[in-house]
Amino acid sequence: MTSNETSLTSKEELNAELKALLRRAYESGIDVEGGFECRNGVEHPDWDVIVTEVEKNEQSE
């Protein structure tokens, strides 16, 4: 997110933003599977994000 974007207020909004980010990366040819370290300086916690591809089911969008 950039400072110009609206703040997230729920897990559902977070999921929607993550879905959009992963789709943009995939469509741009970026291999989105694997681990990503998110270092955020002293003001925010750091995170480790693991992305794995899962099998589609009948309920997938």
Side-chain angles (χ1 to χ4, degrees):
M1 270 176 59
T2 66
S3 59
N4 295 336
E5 294 181 26
T6 304
S7 295
L8 302 175
T9 58
S10 69
K11 285 188 176 186
E12 292 79 14
E13 290 176 349
L14 173 60
N15 187 58
E17 289 290 324
L18 287 171
K19 183 188 288 189
L21 175 64
L22 291 170
R23 284 180 178 173
R24 286 194 316 269
Y26 177 81
E27 290 168 356
S28 296
I30 297 172
D31 181 9
V32 296
E33 270 195 279
F36 301 88
E37 285 187 355
C38 298
R39 301 292 179 182
N40 295 300
V42 296
E43 296 179 9
H44 299 93
D46 295 333
W47 292 283
D48 182 37
V49 178
I50 306 296
V51 178
T52 55
E53 185 175 344
V54 296
E55 187 175 318
K56 287 196 175 285
N57 60 33
E58 294 174 9
Q59 299 165 338
S60 292
E61 294 179 18

